Amino acid sequence: MKNKNHISKLRIKLYQEKLERLKRKSASKKRLQNIANNKRVSSIRETKHKNESLFNQPKEATVSSKSDFTLLDFPENVLSFIKMVDEVTKKKKYKTIFFDISQVTSIDIGSIGLLLSKINELSTVGIKVKGNFPENAPCKKIICESGFLSHMNDMKGRRFNYLRGESNLMVSRGFDRTSNVLVGSAIRKAVKHLTGVDESYRPLYSLAQEMCANSVEHANEHHHSKNWLFSVTYKNADTVCFTMTDIGRGILGTLKRKASQIIKEVLLSDDKDILGRAFDKQYTSKTKDINRNKGLPKIKSIADNNFINNFVVITNNVLLDFSNNNNSKLLNKKFDGTFYYWELNKKCIETWKIRKSQ
């Protein structure tokens, strides 16, 4: 009898130990999954369709993003994804690239705009782009309301029926003049949203025109790379956010410097300082265009006079924050293009009107 009780107790103990092992294994697996999501590395995966032979090249490549996918907070994550797309494109063996953003847990209008600009660029060289939505519901909502889907088709070639935010807008143009009407109308709507008055706002219109014209006319010698995207997002009742995304060479790639300047910069400066000086008009253009880079000081002046808020520029390997220089930094990923972000509120408009009346 004692032996039976002993065996029963032993079995119970073994069963309990087994349960504990399973619990620990499950917890460990979940912990590793969380780490993988947080430190997810952008990656490329090739897909071969069923009707392809083993000897044919794969027709589709999948590029996966990291979970933190906000351009303003985690620029290296977003630029790493874009760099991976560029590497796939250079191989010239894929007809389709699949953008896998399913594991994204944070996203912003900057990264969405950069994705759309890259999709526009790929379309000009005959590469189709497919993709999915984030499993994270708030991130999916941001994409749907941003205006991104207005430029996309579903797998059957039909326009998406997702409704964007009431006033959110993405103006996407590739290879022609700046769309004055669309940009001007977007600015008027933003001003009316903030002040209740239907009127334009000259500083913002000048800012947008400088950025868009610069992209269309000078972004890159290659015609297919000259494209820009202008977006408007209504953050809340008091703030409207704007972005301008330009796929090209980036500001640093267009600067012309004397040999003495280059030597001095190598010894005493970094790219962050050089970009700052470009906005102070200390350099000319490699294109020798008399108007080239003249817009940068104008843009800086608008920011310095507080006609806009939270002005940020990302170009090449630099993030420059004009509102808080402590946030400016060198990036470990290079962006062949320029991204601008700024915000507008009622105080900005009032500041301009007061200065105008003085």
Side-chain angles (χ1 to χ4, degrees):
M1 191 69 178
K2 287 182 179 181
N3 287 337
K4 287 184 178 180
N5 289 338
H6 178 72
I7 292 172
S8 298
K9 289 180 180 179
L10 185 60
R11 284 177 176 173
I12 292 171
K13 184 178 179 181
L14 291 172
Y15 181 71
Q16 290 175 337
E17 289 177 352
K18 185 177 181 180
L19 284 177
E20 286 298 321
R21 285 198 301 272
L22 289 173
K23 285 180 182 178
R24 287 196 297 271
K25 187 176 180 180
S26 177
S28 177
K29 187 176 180 180
K30 189 175 181 179
R31 198 161 50 247
L32 289 172
Q33 184 63 45
N34 289 335
I35 293 172
N37 287 339
N38 291 330
K39 296 185 177 181
R40 185 176 172 138
V41 177
S42 298
S43 60
I44 300 173
R45 186 173 68 254
E46 295 181 343
T47 302
K48 188 178 287 292
H49 300 297
K50 292 181 180 178
N51 59 349
E52 294 178 37
S53 73
L54 293 173
F55 301 100
N56 288 340
Q57 295 286 355
K59 302 300 182 184
E60 182 177 303
T62 297
V63 182
S64 300
S65 69
K66 295 182 180 181
S67 56
D68 292 316
F69 204 64
T70 53
L71 186 59
L72 293 174
D73 296 324
F74 299 95
E76 283 95 348
N77 289 1
V78 180
L79 298 182
S80 176
F81 180 90
I82 296 299
K83 195 70 176 177
M84 200 72 71
V85 172
D86 289 338
E87 289 176 7
V88 170
T89 307
K90 287 177 182 178
K91 293 181 180 179
K92 297 181 179 180
K93 67 177 183 178
Y94 300 103
K95 294 181 179 179
T96 304
I97 300 178
F98 190 93
F99 285 10
D100 177 18
I101 57 173
S102 60
Q103 299 304 309
V104 165
T105 56
S106 63
I107 196 167
D108 63 5
I109 191 63
S111 55
I112 294 171
L114 201 54
L115 286 178
L116 184 55
S117 292
K118 181 55 64 173
I119 290 169
N120 289 343
E121 182 188 17
L122 292 173
S123 69
T124 65
V125 292
I127 297 178
K128 295 181 180 179
V129 175
K130 299 178 183 177
N132 51 25
F133 284 112
E135 295 174 2
N136 180 280
C139 290
K140 181 178 178 180
K141 184 179 179 182
I142 291 172
I143 293 175
C144 292
E145 292 183 348
S146 68
F148 174 83
L149 294 177
S150 300
H151 301 269
M152 307 301 293
N153 296 329
D154 63 19
M155 296 301 289
K156 293 183 179 180
R158 300 173 301 193
R159 286 289 181 185
F160 278 96
N161 59 4
Y162 288 97
L163 295 176
R164 62 178 172 84
E166 183 178 352
S167 301
N168 293 345
L169 176 70
M170 282 193 167
V171 181
S172 177
R173 299 298 293 264
F175 327 108
D176 50 16
R177 293 177 304 170
T178 304
S179 179
N180 296 337
V181 175
L182 285 173
V183 173
S185 176
I187 292 171
R188 293 185 75 93
K189 286 181 180 178
V191 173
K192 187 174 182 179
H193 170 81
L194 295 170
T195 65
V197 180
D198 185 12
E199 60 183 354
S200 188
Y201 183 52
R202 190 176 300 171
L204 193 51
Y205 188 78
S206 299
L207 185 80
Q209 289 298 99
E210 287 291 347
M211 293 174 180
C212 296
N214 183 67
S215 172
V216 171
E217 294 170 13
H218 308 290
N220 199 294
E221 292 88 350
H222 303 292
H223 183 70
H224 71 262
S225 292
K226 297 180 182 178
N227 73 88
W228 58 264
L229 184 138
F230 178 80
S231 76
V232 186
T233 306
Y234 288 71
K235 187 175 181 180
N236 52 47
D238 303 316
T239 306
V240 182
C241 307
F242 296 83
T243 72
M244 164 67 191
T245 308
D246 155 17
I247 299 293
R249 295 178 60 188
I251 295 173
L252 295 178
T254 66
L255 300 180
K256 181 181 179 181
R257 289 163 284 172
K258 296 179 180 178
S260 59
Q261 283 179 306
I262 295 173
I263 294 171
K264 185 177 179 181
E265 287 162 2
V266 169
L267 297 174
L268 303 175
S269 306
D270 58 24
D271 285 344
K272 179 164 62 71
D273 297 324
I274 294 170
L275 181 61
R277 287 199 288 272
F279 277 91
D280 292 324
K281 191 51 180 155
Q282 294 189 23
Y283 304 108
T284 56
S285 167
K286 286 182 179 179
T287 64
K288 298 183 180 180
D289 188 324
I290 59 173
N291 294 314
R292 179 61 171 156
N293 291 330
K294 279 191 174 181
L296 298 183
K298 291 181 182 179
I299 292 169
K300 183 176 184 293
S301 176
I302 291 171
D304 288 345
N305 285 302
N306 297 315
F307 299 154
I308 58 173
N309 277 341
N310 298 326
F311 181 51
V312 177
V313 179
I314 298 175
T315 186
N316 303 110
N317 63 328
V318 180
L319 184 153
L320 208 58
D321 189 334
F322 287 82
S323 301
N324 186 352
N325 192 50
N326 291 330
N327 293 332
S328 299
K329 61 180 179 179
L330 294 174
L331 304 173
N332 58 27
K333 298 293 180 182
K334 184 181 177 183
F335 171 43
D336 294 324
T338 305
F339 169 81
Y340 300 93
Y341 173 89
W342 68 95
E343 296 177 358
L344 181 68
N345 57 32
K346 190 175 181 179
K347 187 177 180 181
C348 295
I349 299 171
E350 291 173 349
T351 300
W352 178 69
K353 287 183 176 180
I354 292 171
R355 183 178 179 84
K356 184 183 176 185
S357 63
Q358 290 176 345

